[in-house]
Amino acid sequence: MIVLRLPDRFPLRPLLALLLGVLHAAAFRSDASWPLEIAALAALVALCLRRLGTWDALGLGFAFGLGWFVTGIYWIFISIHTYGQINAVLAGAATLLLSAYLALYPAAACGLGAFWATRSAHRAGFLWLFAPLWTLAEMARGTVLTGFPWMATGYAHVGGPLAGYAPVLGVAGVTFMAAACAAALARAAHRAREPRGTLGPAALILAIAAGGLLLAAQTWSTPLGPVLHVRLLQGNIPQDVKFDPERFDATVATYLELIERRPADLIVLPETALPVFLGDVPESLIERLEADAARLHAGLAIGVPIADSAQVYTNSVIAFDAVQGGAQRYDKTHLVPFGEFVPFGFRWFVDLMHVPLGDFTPGSPDQKPLRLAGIRVAFNICYEDLFGAVIRRQAKESNLLVNVSNVAWFGDSQALPQHLQLSRMRALETARPMLRATNTGMTAAIDARGTVQSVLQAFTTGSLDVSVQPVTGTTPYVFWGDLAALGLTLAVLALAALRTVKAPGGRYSPPEPVKM
């Protein structure tokens, strides 16, 4: 018999965890790769169980997170170095530092689980604790310091059987189910040689998958009114010249040609399609845009920054409608650190960057959907659709979601399809179609079940013409938000606590090495 025994000390175990994190990041690349996410997470659980000490698990969780985030958000380097014109060493260090910060959350989940389980009377204590602790860590990552839940575990499952939980529990609930499946898979692998040892874990995985499929078959919203013809515009304005005053006329000419090409019920331009403050836009252009909306019998929405005073300016959408008349406005509520406001103590870093950054003012969280094309349209701007709590505020009163974005800052990278993945989750959570008008990609139409109906090729200039059915109705997630997922997580954590009470003089014993 050959006995496989991994060394207990650095560097092999952390290196393996790092590679598992890279594998985990790869699970976000397509709808078909969701099993990879569960497998990578299960392998992390199994790796922690091999030598279940608090500091060991903490280090393994950190290494896993570092591989996950360095691989997944490498495009931060592009924005800092290519467009921010910061030297490659400092840009690379900033990207690595952000990844290391994000890795603290999976590290905390693994470390806390091990700390608790080593004081447990049950070897399975870590497995019981893993799903709730992992979910709480992911929820914290999306909240602390304004939050950065990019590539949260649940997003890997927008096209898989666990997606059915999104309208009920949101992305946090999908994360919980994925982590529970991973822990069950690790348990099954650990008990593979025991009689009937895999039946319980296998039954749990099948039950979770079946629950997701049953929920996915539910209809959470119903059609409202006629189908709309919508045109989503993609100007493909290079980021390095987007804010060049000498390019303003060329940018305007590109969008006017796309707007006036043919009629539509709703026409949407991307974030900062007009790359100057609204007060600096020529009055003749505003009049032409209003006239276009009236002549085409359309709702026309345009991304543009607005300065209400020398100290108050917002990242906004203005809209003209043939029926409503006048201008309507939406102001972005959840701003991007370093992109739209400067975190305390980091002014020096922003001053090094050659990009038009500043401290924008967030919009009111109580803004109502805009009335366009006879329906209520809830807008969100770029980074905002990363946060389900932001989108659900307007979703209940809206018939359609629209995201306007400019992710040209990140070049031709995985940031574009990853952002599309986020929008799909918001469509699932709210049972609303989500339309995306972007500068360089991914301009797309997503139906109320989170399926991409049509997408425009990235880095091309053009329009995506789609037929969209407005809807009404609501989902449990829109009604109660993240409270349901939080309640589920805390309830399971409480049950795990009851099962993992400390035994007198007892400590966790790691399993024997696997024999082959």
Side-chain angles (χ1 to χ4, degrees):
M1 287 287 186
I2 300 174
V3 178
L4 297 181
R5 183 187 294 273
L6 291 174
D8 286 336
R9 299 187 181 276
F10 185 86
L12 189 55
R13 288 177 183 277
L15 179 60
L16 182 54
L18 184 78
L19 294 176
L20 287 172
V22 173
L23 193 67
H24 190 257
F28 293 79
R29 297 183 69 92
S30 74
D31 282 5
S33 56
W34 62 265
L36 194 59
E37 190 279 324
I38 292 177
L41 209 54
L44 172 65
V45 174
L47 195 60
C48 289
L49 286 171
R50 295 291 304 173
R51 192 169 185 266
L52 195 62
T54 301
W55 291 107
D56 296 299
L58 191 77
L60 292 172
F62 181 81
F64 182 91
L66 196 63
W68 175 8
F69 295 115
V70 167
T71 306
I73 63 167
Y74 69 92
W75 36 263
I76 294 289
F77 174 87
I78 297 172
S79 66
I80 298 174
H81 175 59
T82 303
Y83 299 113
Q85 299 180 36
I86 288 182
N87 71 74
V89 173
L90 186 56
T95 305
L96 183 61
L97 185 62
L98 175 60
S99 299
Y101 162 72
L102 297 175
L104 294 175
Y105 292 93
C110 294
L112 285 171
F115 176 80
W116 199 335
T118 51
R119 287 148 181 80
S120 165
H122 301 275
R123 289 189 174 190
F126 183 81
L127 296 166
W128 275 87
L129 294 163
F130 181 75
L133 288 176
W134 188 267
T135 304
L136 288 174
E138 288 285 73
M139 294 179 78
R141 181 162 69 89
T143 306
V144 177
L145 300 177
T146 78
F148 189 69
W150 200 280
M151 292 184 75
T153 302
Y155 290 117
H157 298 273
V158 291
L162 302 185
Y165 290 101
V168 180
L169 299 172
V171 67
V174 178
T175 294
F176 179 90
M177 298 303 173
C181 287
L185 185 60
R187 177 65 168 170
H190 172 53
R191 302 184 65 187
R193 292 183 297 172
E194 298 178 22
R196 294 179 291 181
T198 61
L199 292 181
L204 177 61
I205 293 171
L206 289 174
I208 290 174
L213 292 172
L214 287 172
L215 288 171
Q218 301 300 309
T219 300
W220 303 102
S221 57
T222 56
L224 175 72
V227 171
L228 299 181
H229 176 63
V230 180
R231 183 176 311 123
L232 308 170
L233 307 189
Q234 183 171 288
N236 194 35
I237 311 300
Q239 188 60 41
D240 53 355
V241 299
K242 181 176 174 66
F243 294 99
D244 184 348
E246 296 183 0
R247 286 293 304 266
F248 179 78
D249 290 342
T251 297
V252 169
T254 296
Y255 282 117
L256 285 174
E257 192 279 327
L258 293 172
I259 290 169
E260 297 169 352
R261 182 174 292 177
R262 53 187 171 271
D265 297 312
L266 179 62
I267 302 171
V268 185
L269 281 66
E271 179 186 16
T272 59
L274 299 181
V276 297
F277 286 114
L278 182 61
D280 297 327
V281 176
E283 185 63 31
S284 59
L285 176 57
I286 298 296
E287 292 173 354
R288 182 170 175 178
L289 292 169
E290 288 184 284
D292 281 341
R295 180 176 57 84
L296 297 170
H297 302 287
L300 176 61
I302 306 158
V304 60
I306 300 176
D308 291 311
S309 70
Q311 291 78 35
V312 178
Y313 43 99
T314 58
N315 189 355
S316 304
V317 169
I318 60 166
F320 309 103
D321 184 71
V323 176
Q324 289 291 115
Q328 302 176 69
R329 170 178 172 178
Y330 170 75
D331 301 326
K332 187 176 184 180
T333 63
H334 199 116
L335 304 179
V336 183
F338 300 102
E340 291 167 325
F341 75 93
V342 181
F344 178 77
F346 283 90
R347 174 62 64 180
W348 65 272
F349 182 76
V350 171
D351 288 344
L352 291 175
M353 301 176 68
H354 296 80
V355 292
L357 301 181
D359 285 310
F360 279 75
T361 301
S364 168
D366 299 323
Q367 296 173 84
K368 299 295 184 182
L370 306 188
R371 298 286 300 191
L372 298 171
I375 63 169
R376 292 169 295 182
V377 182
F379 281 88
N380 53 91
I381 300 176
C382 198
Y383 182 73
E384 281 188 305
D385 70 348
L386 189 56
F387 301 92
V390 172
I391 304 306
R392 64 175 284 266
R393 284 201 295 255
Q394 291 192 63
K396 188 175 182 180
E397 299 181 60
S398 72
N399 312 117
L400 179 66
L401 305 177
V402 176
N403 176 271
V404 297
S405 292
N406 173 36
V407 288
W409 294 104
F410 309 114
D412 186 7
S413 70
Q414 280 296 302
L416 278 68
Q418 286 171 3
H419 198 191
L420 178 62
Q421 206 172 45
L422 302 175
S423 292
R424 293 176 64 189
M425 181 59 74
R426 303 291 86 84
L428 280 164
E429 289 173 341
T430 61
R432 296 283 185 277
M434 170 73 90
L435 306 180
R436 307 185 77 246
T438 71
N439 179 23
T440 56
M442 311 281 286
T443 297
I446 304 164
D447 70 14
R449 293 185 177 275
T451 302
V452 178
Q453 298 295 292
S454 184
V455 62
L456 190 63
Q457 183 178 347
F459 298 98
T460 60
T461 303
S463 63
L464 183 66
D465 289 80
V466 293
S467 296
V468 179
Q469 175 62 68
V471 301
T472 188
T474 191
T475 65
Y477 176 77
V478 169
F479 182 75
W480 55 49
D482 290 321
L483 289 177
L486 181 61
L488 171 66
T489 300
L490 293 177
V492 174
L493 193 62
L495 288 173
L498 292 175
R499 289 181 58 90
T500 56
V501 292
K502 183 177 180 180
R507 289 183 62 84
Y508 182 89
S509 299
E512 293 298 318
V514 179
K515 295 183 178 181
M516 299 182 63

